[in-house]
């Protein structure tokens, strides 16, 4: 190995090749990101959290924007049901631009099977990681990932590492209640959706076009 | 005039026909709404407010849901630029379901012409009122109406009256910062988008697919 740039020499001395290449990837991503920043272009890490409505809807609104710009989008649903078949059917009308993968097995209080939930989360994460490794994908939506992290089904550190190593112009949108502090710290844009008033409390059932 | 139902007799004695028919329309709407409620179906008044991002995006996400269900949607933009041509181009791909009308003249601090702004707001409102009078339209999005109300370009009372008299199953979504208290009071579902972190503060410019 003939490393000549001074900042990499110390790092590699005690590392295996695997660890080294992971580090190099991170460094390259950081450098690329810095260069991109200078040109004013930057892939943003966006978090929609809080107990209010609109976290996934606002992500969908951004997907619509990307479609309008001809920017390819990847969507991974970590919890089943967060995105309805109605929305999916519209998005599937743009097969060249939008890829939707739903891998959640349903809410945990329904499945009550932690091992199965962890396995589902890991499968979903593998798909997400592939999308985040593809510089052709302009935006990756990780729908309800916060919930999965909250339950400890995926390690926050690996998720943050993959997000940091993504292509520098790629936007990542993470939705779900109770976003991890480290994710908020890493994010560029964080919105908390706060619930002021909700019709279910007044005995009104979920309405087509609004809730699903 | 041969009104026989007791609750309408007193109301009409001193009224002109116009006022009477407006009152009757309101009563009918209230009764229809009550009946609809009993069946669990209800057109919701939804407000997205607060200083955070995602107010219009979340409305767009709901529009996407409606498109997926084949539910017709009307969108009125009260401030120019709130919805980009990119999004509009996607929505215009569903001409049978989505009508978008942009009538704002731009932000007030750009125009600095109150009379022109008021006239633009009134034109936009006339379009919105037509949409809200049409029971075939399942959802009406009044994008950035809150800003217009805040500046006093339209009287809040007339806006609330028209919203209350809309077809009972029609959803209305109002977006914009600083929602009026009376609108929040009348609403079924209110979400406040709270800004936790914003990239512009860190010197990053608006990004395609996210901001526009």
């Amino acid at each position: 190995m003939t490393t000549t740039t001074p900042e990499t020499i110390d790092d590699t001395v005690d590392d295996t090749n695997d660890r080294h290449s992971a580090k190099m990837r991170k460094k390259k991503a950081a450098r690329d990101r810095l260069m991109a920043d200078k040109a004013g272009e930057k892939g943003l890490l966006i978090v929609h959290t809080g107990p209010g409505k609109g976290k996934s809807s606002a992500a969908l609104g951004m997907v619509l924007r990307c479609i309008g710009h001809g920017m390819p989008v990847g969507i991974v649903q970590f919890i089943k049901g967060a995105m309805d078949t109605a929305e999916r059917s519209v998005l599937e009308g743009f097969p060249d631009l939008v890829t939707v993968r739903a891998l959640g097995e349903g809410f945990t209080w329904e499945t009550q099977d932690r091992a199965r939930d962890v396995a589902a989360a890991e499968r979903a994460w593998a798909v997400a990681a592939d999308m985040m490794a593809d510089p052709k994908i302009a935006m990756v939506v990780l729908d309800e990932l916060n919930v999965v992290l909250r339950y400890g089904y995926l390690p926050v550190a690996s998720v943050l590492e993959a997000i940091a190593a993504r292509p520098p112009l790629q936007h990542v949108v993470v939705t779900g209640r109770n976003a991890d502090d480290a994710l908020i710290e890493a994010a560029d844009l964080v919105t908390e959706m706060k619930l002021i008033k909700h019709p279910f409390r007044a005995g009104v059932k979920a309405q087509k076009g609004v809730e699903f």
Side-chain angles (χ1 to χ4, degrees), chain A:
Chain A
M1 174 140 237
T2 57
T3 357
T4 50
T5 46
E7 72 269 26
T8 60
I9 293 171
D10 290 345
D11 289 344
T12 55
V13 173
D14 294 314
D15 279 347
T16 66
N17 278 339
D18 273 4
R19 286 198 51 180
H20 174 66
S21 73
K23 273 198 178 169
M24 288 300 99
R25 243 191 351 259
K26 267 178 84 172
K27 281 205 176 173
K28 180 175 186 320
R31 207 177 292 128
D32 288 352
R33 200 176 305 281
L34 190 71
M35 294 309 291
D37 266 30
K38 285 187 176 158
E41 301 278 340
K42 186 181 189 307
L44 301 177
L45 173 57
I46 298 160
V47 177
H48 295 168
T49 192
K53 303 286 303 172
K55 297 182 287 291
S56 295
S57 295
L60 279 176
M62 283 193 285
V63 169
L64 204 66
R65 267 180 205 147
C66 287
I67 294 173
H69 286 296
M71 295 161 68
V73 179
I75 303 171
V76 181
Q77 280 188 267
F78 282 85
I79 302 280
K80 202 168 89 178
M83 194 181 298
D84 197 71
T85 44
E87 292 141 85
R88 289 193 60 164
S89 72
V90 180
L91 297 176
E92 281 161 10
F94 303 91
D96 297 342
L97 288 175
V98 184
T99 309
V100 186
R101 300 286 299 272
L103 293 129
E105 297 272 330
F107 289 99
T108 49
W109 49 87
E110 281 170 13
T111 61
Q112 300 189 348
D113 181 340
R114 187 179 162 88
R116 205 178 78 169
D117 288 343
V118 169
E122 284 170 353
R123 278 198 304 279
W125 178 249
V127 173
D130 280 350
M131 288 176 175
M132 286 194 294
D134 182 353
K136 289 190 299 297
I137 300 187
M139 180 180 280
V140 177
V141 177
L142 305 173
D143 194 40
E144 301 289 0
L145 175 62
N146 287 336
V147 177
V148 166
L149 293 175
R150 176 74 164 190
Y151 283 119
Y153 293 167
L154 290 171
V156 177
S158 335
V159 166
L160 287 176
E161 203 167 312
I163 288 174
R166 76 191 190 280
L169 295 181
Q170 188 183 70
H171 302 303
V172 170
V173 186
V174 179
T175 76
R177 289 176 182 226
N178 298 312
D180 191 273
D181 287 344
L183 182 70
I184 289 178
E185 180 59 34
D188 300 292
L189 173 57
V190 181
T191 306
E192 185 188 307
M193 273 68 169
K194 202 172 141 190
L195 185 74
I196 306 285
K197 214 174 185 183
H198 198 295
F200 295 173
R201 294 195 177 155
V204 177
K205 68 172 188 178
Q207 300 298 312
K208 196 160 82 174
V210 177
E211 301 285 338
F212 65 94

